[in-house]
């Protein structure tokens, strides 16, 4: 039963400041994954909400001249209002001030104490008020909090401690035996590295003489619960722990999405708390990186945040969701700029997918009166489409299950580009002039329509609104949500009627410094129906003789293995086949995780003189391009035999 269920959570967001891009990314990713699993026919439950207790909330409320509860109500309402703007549909929005959550926290505290896992003792430690936690000296950076850069205060007081150290060996064993428990792998390794040192017990209370805004301990009203011990329990409260029917079905399939700054509470505190309760840990914890503005992490404390409303106002709902999922490799940091979002929207949504949709529908309306041509086995240039789609679907499903949504969207983009090339090479506007080519025209149009139908299914988790519009234009109005089981070639009925749909993704002006006339010319070329005319190019500068280029031995290579090089943040050691095996050191670690490179084909310069970098001999160089959207590895439009020479 539980195998057909999916339970996804975001962190519950701290209400000391308003929602921003980082919150939006976590929440949109959870919504995308929930929609994907619902497409598989599963029962799904999606939980998000707000974390409302602790020192920082008291301080923020004081700064605004109001009581903590009033302040929490105000900011929590902003988070609740933000998610519909992004097309996010949680099943529950939980607050740590909700009565059922307060009751659950007190129940859990009593249960853990009854097991003998809570102890009262005096403690002296280094306390960061920004993090609301004690630090060990080895966790500090130059004596300062690694997140806030402040020097912690030395505090001595009596408190209650959760005997977390009792469960260290169990936790290490669980992580080793369940390699998918914390993903991506680098964060699993980070937790294991931390656990190589003896695990300290966790201070889980604050005296009311210092802090009263929290959940009182059920066994001592002179103390309130530490905010992390309180907050993590929301994942149980949200599905009716301990006796709720939903809890029985869903807890064993629980999956958490978190940012990397809260890995320790989720990767160490939470599993040990659950172990003390006699409960299994969540199935998986998915850890993503930071959004950065320039070289800085996007942070409310730095004042460099972008809000969900600003994103939607600038780019639209689906385009914002697409860029969030496409721009960040899950697990790595990503840079945010409005220009990079605009560029991606114009290139991949307006020019590619949007044009494919509008051109295809317009041609069916123009040449066939809106009637879907009868299905026919592809014979000409359109024959690449069913093959490409059948290859895309299993790869897309694997990527979505692995939270590699950026890679799933890349696969869709490749098929979109292929379909546009089919239009350019088959030239339906030419076929339509020759009655003898009517059958060929029908084959091409049907292949394009069927490609659109299947693509509308695959883009649904990321862009539900656009998916629905495409399906409506295809005459598919009888289903609220698509199912992945419908992504099979040949299901588009010839009895359907096609409606034209211009402007699925309007182009957004990009400030490139060119004049208005040049902008207008570029826009016209990118949106013309045939797209077989190309503006005259300009001659390249810095020309070299062809004999110089011929000296380069460019070859197709397949990446067999990839790993980080110690003490080299930017370097990866790659083992490639081209056709012999060789080692290449590449400075791409900022942009690609090792695990996502394995199996990819790239183009390498194969005849460079070997060079030793960080003790590793490199026998070649990868070709890549870098722009505002990041680093792009060179590749062919379709796979080739490793070692094939580029001519």
């Amino acid at each position: 039963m539980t195998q057909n269920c999916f339970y996804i959570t975001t962190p519950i967001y701290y209400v000391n400041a308003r929602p921003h891009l980082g919150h939006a990314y976590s929440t949109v990713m959870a919504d995308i994954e929930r929609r994907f699993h619902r497409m598989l026919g599963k029962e799904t439950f999606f939980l998000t909400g707000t974390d409302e207790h602790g020192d920082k909330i008291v301080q923020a409320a004081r700064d605004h001249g109001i009581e903590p509860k009033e302040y929490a109500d105000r900011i929590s309402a902003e988070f609740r209002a933000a998610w519909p703007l992004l097309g996010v549909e949680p099943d529950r929005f939980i607050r740590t001030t909700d009565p059922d959550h307060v009751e659950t926290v007190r129940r859990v505290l009593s249960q853990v104490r009854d097991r003998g896992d809570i102890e009262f003792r005096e403690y002296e430690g280094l306390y960061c008020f920004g993090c609301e936690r004690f630090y060990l000296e080895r966790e500090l950076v130059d004596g300062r909090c690694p997140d806030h850069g402040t020097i912690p205060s030395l505090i001595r007081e009596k408190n209650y401690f959760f005997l977390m150290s009792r469960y260290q060996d169990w936790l290490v064993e669980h992580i080793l035996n369940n390699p998918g428990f914390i993903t991506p792998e680098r964060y699993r390794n980070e937790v294991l590295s931390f656990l190589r040192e003896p695990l300290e017990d966790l201070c889980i209370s604050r005296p009311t003489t210092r802090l009263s805004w929290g959940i009182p301990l059920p066994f001592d009203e002179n103390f309130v619960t530490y905010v992390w011990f309180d907050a993590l329990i929301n994942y149980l409260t949200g599905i009716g722990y301990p006796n709720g029917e939903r809890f029985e079905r869903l807890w064993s399939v629980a999956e958490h999405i978190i940012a990397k700054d809260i890995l320790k509470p989720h990767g160490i505190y939470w599993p040990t708390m659950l172990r003390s309760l006699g409960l299994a840990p969540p199935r998986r914890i998915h850890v993503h990186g930071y959004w950065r503005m320039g070289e800085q992490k996007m942070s409310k404390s730095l004042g460099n945040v972008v809000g969900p409303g600003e994103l939607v106002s600038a780019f639209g709902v689906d385009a914002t969701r697409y860029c969030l999922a496409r721009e960040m490799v899950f697990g790595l940091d990503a840079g945010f700029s409005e220009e990079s979002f605009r560029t991606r929207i114009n290139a991949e949504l307006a020019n590619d997918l949007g044009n494919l949709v509008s051109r295809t529908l317009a041609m069916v309306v123009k040449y066939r009166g809106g009637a879907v041509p009868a299905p026919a086995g592809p014979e000409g240039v359109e024959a690449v489409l069913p093959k490409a789609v059948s290859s895309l679907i299993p790869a897309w499903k694997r990527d979505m299950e692995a939270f590699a949504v950026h890679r799933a969207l890349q696969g869709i983009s490749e098929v979109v580009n292929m379909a546009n090339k089919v239009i350019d090479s088959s030239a339906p506007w030419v076929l339509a002039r020759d009655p003898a080519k009517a059958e060929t025209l029908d084959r091409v149009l049907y292949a394009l329509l069927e490609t659109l139908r299947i693509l509308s299914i695959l883009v649904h988790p990321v862009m539900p609104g656009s998916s629905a519009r495409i399906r409506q234009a295809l005459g598919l109005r009888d289903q609220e949500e698509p199912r992945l089981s419908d992504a099979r070639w040949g299901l588009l009925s010839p009895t359907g009627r096609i409606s034209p749909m211009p402007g699925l993704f309007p182009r957004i002006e990009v400030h490139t410094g060119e004049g208005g006339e040049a902008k207008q010319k570029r826009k016209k070329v990118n949106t013309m129906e045939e797209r077989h005319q190309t503006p005259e190019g300009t001659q390249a500068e810095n020309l070299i003789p062809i004999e110089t280029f011929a000296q380069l031995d460019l070859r197709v290579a397949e990446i067999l293995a990839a790993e980080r090089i110690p003490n080299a943040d930017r370097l990866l050691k790659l083992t490639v086949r081209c056709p012999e095996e060789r080692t290449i050191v590449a400075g791409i670690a900022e942009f690609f995780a090792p695990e996502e490179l394995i199996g990819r084909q790239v183009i390498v310069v194969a005849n460079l003189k070997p060079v030793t970098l960080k003790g590793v001999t490199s026998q070649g160089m990868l070709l890549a391009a870098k722009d505002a959207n990041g680093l792009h590895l060179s590749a062919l439009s379709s796979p080739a035999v490793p070692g094939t020479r580029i001519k």
Side-chain angles (χ1 to χ4, degrees):
M1 178 68 175
T2 56
Q3 294 303 312
N4 205 38
C5 298
F6 179 72
Y7 174 35
I8 188 75
T9 73
T10 71
I12 51 171
Y13 303 116
Y14 212 37
V15 294
N16 61 325
R18 293 178 168 84
H20 60 66
L21 177 62
H23 305 125
Y25 179 76
S26 300
T27 313
V28 166
M29 288 299 295
D31 188 73
I32 288 170
E33 289 293 332
R34 190 275 303 270
R35 290 176 187 272
F36 161 66
H37 282 272
R38 201 157 62 190
M39 285 174 60
L40 302 180
K42 295 183 180 182
E43 174 194 357
T44 64
F45 194 84
F46 169 19
L47 179 71
T48 189
T50 48
D51 180 7
E52 303 178 16
H53 292 124
D55 285 314
K56 285 189 284 189
I57 307 307
V58 173
Q59 183 58 51
R62 186 179 295 124
D63 291 344
H64 285 79
I66 56 179
E67 292 299 312
K69 182 61 167 67
E70 182 183 352
Y71 177 81
D73 288 346
R74 181 184 300 176
I75 304 300
S76 180
E78 291 191 25
F79 276 93
R80 188 190 295 269
W83 306 143
L85 298 176
L86 288 164
V88 170
E89 299 176 351
D91 293 289
R92 177 171 178 183
F93 185 96
I94 193 169
R95 301 178 60 184
T96 54
T97 51
D98 286 345
D100 63 335
H101 178 70
V102 173
E103 180 183 344
T104 301
V105 170
R106 290 169 64 86
R107 176 193 293 269
V108 167
L109 284 163
S110 296
Q111 289 175 314
V112 173
R113 185 169 185 254
D114 289 346
R115 289 184 64 106
D117 283 343
I118 291 179
E119 188 176 277
F120 189 64
R121 65 170 79 137
E122 187 173 66
Y123 180 79
E124 181 178 88
L126 299 169
Y127 188 81
C128 173
F129 284 90
C131 295
E132 301 193 44
R133 56 162 288 205
F134 287 97
Y135 275 96
L136 302 175
E137 285 193 16
R138 68 171 184 265
E139 296 179 274
L140 303 177
V141 177
D142 297 327
R144 296 176 179 272
C145 166
D147 288 334
H148 294 89
T150 55
I151 298 175
S153 302
L154 184 65
I155 290 181
R156 175 189 289 273
E157 63 187 14
K158 291 183 178 180
N159 266 310
Y160 287 89
F161 286 78
F162 167 51
L163 304 184
M164 190 165 62
S165 58
R166 290 182 175 181
Y167 300 103
Q168 179 167 3
D169 292 342
W170 165 82
L171 180 56
V172 170
E173 183 179 1
H174 179 79
I175 294 172
L176 292 175
N177 291 339
N178 297 273
F181 173 52
I182 300 174
T183 67
E185 185 180 10
R186 67 173 61 82
Y187 298 112
R188 172 179 178 266
N189 294 337
E190 185 177 322
V191 172
L192 287 172
S193 176
F194 187 89
L195 290 171
R196 292 192 187 103
E197 300 287 340
L199 192 59
E200 297 283 327
D201 293 331
L202 180 65
C203 179
I204 61 165
S205 68
R206 301 291 183 264
T208 53
T209 54
R210 179 157 65 85
L211 175 68
S212 60
W213 179 242
I215 298 176
L217 300 185
F219 41 81
D220 193 335
E221 295 292 324
N222 293 314
F223 293 84
V224 295
T225 309
Y226 169 46
V227 67
W228 268 114
F229 200 94
D230 161 5
L232 290 163
I233 294 169
N234 93 90
Y235 303 133
L236 299 179
T237 305
I239 52 173
Y241 175 81
N243 301 315
E245 179 184 342
R246 186 175 284 137
F247 172 77
E248 295 294 329
R249 292 197 309 276
L250 297 180
W251 180 247
S252 63
V253 294
E255 307 205 14
H256 302 324
I257 290 179
I258 63 169
K260 64 183 182 181
D261 58 336
I262 54 175
L263 173 59
K264 184 178 179 182
H266 284 82
I268 297 178
Y269 302 173
W270 185 222
T272 56
M273 289 165 60
L274 290 165
R275 183 68 173 177
S276 178
L277 281 173
L279 297 176
R283 179 169 176 259
R284 293 193 296 179
I285 300 172
H286 306 278
V287 189
H288 66 74
Y290 294 143
W291 285 92
R292 296 188 176 275
M293 296 280 279
E295 296 299 316
Q296 289 185 316
K297 167 193 172 184
M298 188 174 290
S299 164
K300 50 187 173 286
S301 61
L302 295 174
N304 62 349
V305 298
V306 177
E310 296 173 78
L311 292 170
V312 173
S313 177
F315 308 118
V317 178
D318 278 5
T320 296
R321 289 170 63 101
Y322 181 88
C323 288
L324 289 174
R326 186 79 168 87
E327 290 272 311
M328 178 177 275
V329 176
F330 196 94
L332 300 180
D333 292 352
F336 170 79
S337 76
E338 292 184 47
E339 209 69 10
S340 66
F341 271 42
R342 290 192 190 102
T343 300
R344 191 173 291 281
I345 290 167
N346 288 341
E348 296 182 9
L349 296 183
N351 285 2
D352 294 343
L353 178 58
N355 266 336
L356 175 63
V357 172
S358 60
R359 297 166 77 200
T360 299
L361 299 178
M363 288 187 294
V364 174
V365 171
K366 182 175 181 179
Y367 304 135
R368 290 294 177 261
V372 176
E379 299 176 7
V381 293
E382 78 281 1
V384 300
L385 292 177
K387 294 177 183 177
V389 167
S390 64
S391 297
L392 169 64
I393 293 168
W396 175 88
K397 184 172 182 286
R398 285 193 303 271
D399 289 337
M400 293 295 289
E401 289 172 337
F403 280 59
V405 181
H406 67 285
R407 200 160 58 218
L409 292 175
Q410 173 63 32
I412 291 173
S413 183
E414 289 169 2
V415 172
V416 168
N417 288 333
M418 187 178 296
N420 274 317
K421 289 177 182 177
V422 166
I423 294 177
D424 294 338
S425 57
S426 64
W429 48 91
V430 175
L431 296 175
R433 300 185 195 124
D434 186 352
K437 300 290 186 181
E439 185 177 335
T440 302
L441 177 60
D442 283 349
R443 287 201 315 268
V444 170
L445 293 179
Y446 185 84
L448 291 168
L449 288 171
E450 189 63 336
T451 299
L452 282 184
R453 184 187 67 83
I454 294 175
L455 290 177
S456 76
I457 296 173
L458 302 186
V459 302
H460 168 77
V462 177
M463 299 186 290
S466 300
S467 168
R469 288 185 64 193
I470 296 171
R471 293 173 62 76
Q472 184 176 18
L474 292 173
L476 305 172
R477 300 181 177 86
D478 57 346
Q479 193 174 347
E480 290 186 7
E481 270 194 332
R483 291 286 184 263
L484 187 58
S485 57
D486 293 330
R488 292 178 287 118
W489 193 268
L491 297 187
L492 187 63
S493 171
T495 62
R497 300 293 301 178
I498 303 301
S499 305
M501 187 179 62
L504 182 61
F505 297 102
R507 283 182 56 80
I508 301 174
E509 182 180 356
V510 179
H511 301 292
T512 61
E514 58 186 340
E517 184 179 349
K519 290 180 185 177
Q520 193 63 31
K521 182 177 180 181
R522 172 172 48 80
K523 182 176 180 180
K524 182 178 180 181
V525 169
N526 285 334
T527 57
M528 62 178 59
E529 178 185 329
E530 288 84 355
R531 281 181 66 187
H532 64 284
Q533 300 180 22
T534 305
E536 294 184 0
T538 57
Q539 292 197 353
E541 299 179 1
N542 303 319
L543 301 179
I544 62 171
I546 192 170
E547 293 81 10
T548 302
F549 177 79
Q551 294 177 18
L552 294 176
D553 185 6
L554 302 178
R555 294 186 181 271
V556 177
E558 180 181 0
I559 300 176
L560 304 177
E563 60 183 278
R564 294 186 178 276
I565 296 177
N567 302 316
D569 293 341
R570 298 184 178 184
L571 300 181
L572 293 180
K573 176 185 174 183
L574 307 177
T575 302
V576 304
R577 182 169 64 233
C578 65
E580 77 290 344
E581 286 192 17
R582 63 171 68 192
T583 298
I584 292 179
V585 176
I588 60 175
E590 294 177 89
F591 303 94
F592 297 95
E595 58 267 23
E596 72 173 301
L597 293 170
I598 297 172
R600 288 186 62 162
Q601 287 200 335
V602 292
I603 297 174
V604 301
V605 184
N607 62 337
L608 292 180
K609 183 179 179 180
V611 61
T612 300
L613 301 168
K614 292 291 184 178
V616 180
T617 300
S618 181
Q619 301 165 297
M621 179 185 293
L622 266 66
L623 295 187
K626 186 177 181 181
D627 63 10
N629 298 319
L631 194 72
H632 311 274
L633 294 180
S634 59
L636 301 178
S637 59
S638 58
V641 176
T644 300
R645 187 167 185 180
I646 307 297
K647 299 181 179 180

